Amino acid sequence: MTDRIRQVTMEDLDRVTQVEAVCFPPAEAAGKEAFRARIEGFPESFFVAEKDGAIIGFINGAVTDERTIRDAMFEDASLHDPEGCYQSIFGLDVAPEWQHRGIAGELMRHMIKDARRRGCKGLILTCKDRLIGFYERFGYKSLGVSASVHGGAVWYDMILEFSE
Ligand SMILES: CC(C)(COP(=O)(O)OP(=O)(O)OC[C@H]1O[C@@H](n2cnc3c(N)ncnc32)[C@H](O)[C@@H]1OP(=O)(O)O)[C@@H](O)C(=O)NCCC(=O)NCCS
């Protein structure tokens, strides 16, 4: 269990970058400047999980009218459209020593609840095949192989649409 989940601030930049670097291979990890742009661009959909005052995980993504994530969105925070219908998930990270305790689930449920509160129609993400089952538990459905070639990997498009 996290102590709390709160909105990101620019003071979190170094720690967030550090957690990303241990969670993803270099070709896939977002760097400090990408995180700076995301924190500036869409702090309202960027949340960190804290334990004893330290950040142990986070979730973030821009809002868009598109039903799938395009690679350009990862690098260009200005594509964030606050009036868009779908909350995207660019990244869900939990520091390795805190994994397997339900922290990612807490972060995802927080993001889903918040997107619903803001009036979004649903959420979208891309993931590797091994995590499709993990996201299906929250109500996401696979749309098949994504056009994304991010980091040279094969990704799947997933979407969760609110029923009302
Ligand atoms: C994926 C990730 C966010 C899960 O974090 P977590 O806090 O351990 O997740 P939870 O405890 O809420 O859920 C864990 C369950 O999800 C599933 N799961 C998590 N990671 C998995 C993986 N790599 N492969 C298969 N299933 C996985 C398992 O069912 C797991 O159950 P277990 O803990 O009994 O093994 C974390 O492993 C991580 O940061 N990985 C590196 C970055 C990444 O791949 N992020 C997702 C893509 S954006």
Side-chain angles (χ1 to χ4, degrees), residues 1 3 7 20 26 28 34 50 60 76 88 100 102 152 155:
M1 268 277 281
D3 291 339
Q7 195 174 304
E20 176 89 353
E28 293 170 22
E50 281 186 344
N60 73 96
D76 187 354
S88 73
H100 308 294
W155 301 88

Side-chain angles (χ1 to χ4, degrees), residues 23-24 92 94 99-102 104-105 130-131 134-135 137:
C23 280
F24 286 98
L92 171 58
V94 174
Q99 290 177 5
H100 308 294
R101 300 181 205 204
R130 64 186 166 82
L131 284 175
F134 172 69
Y135 291 117
R137 286 190 218 159

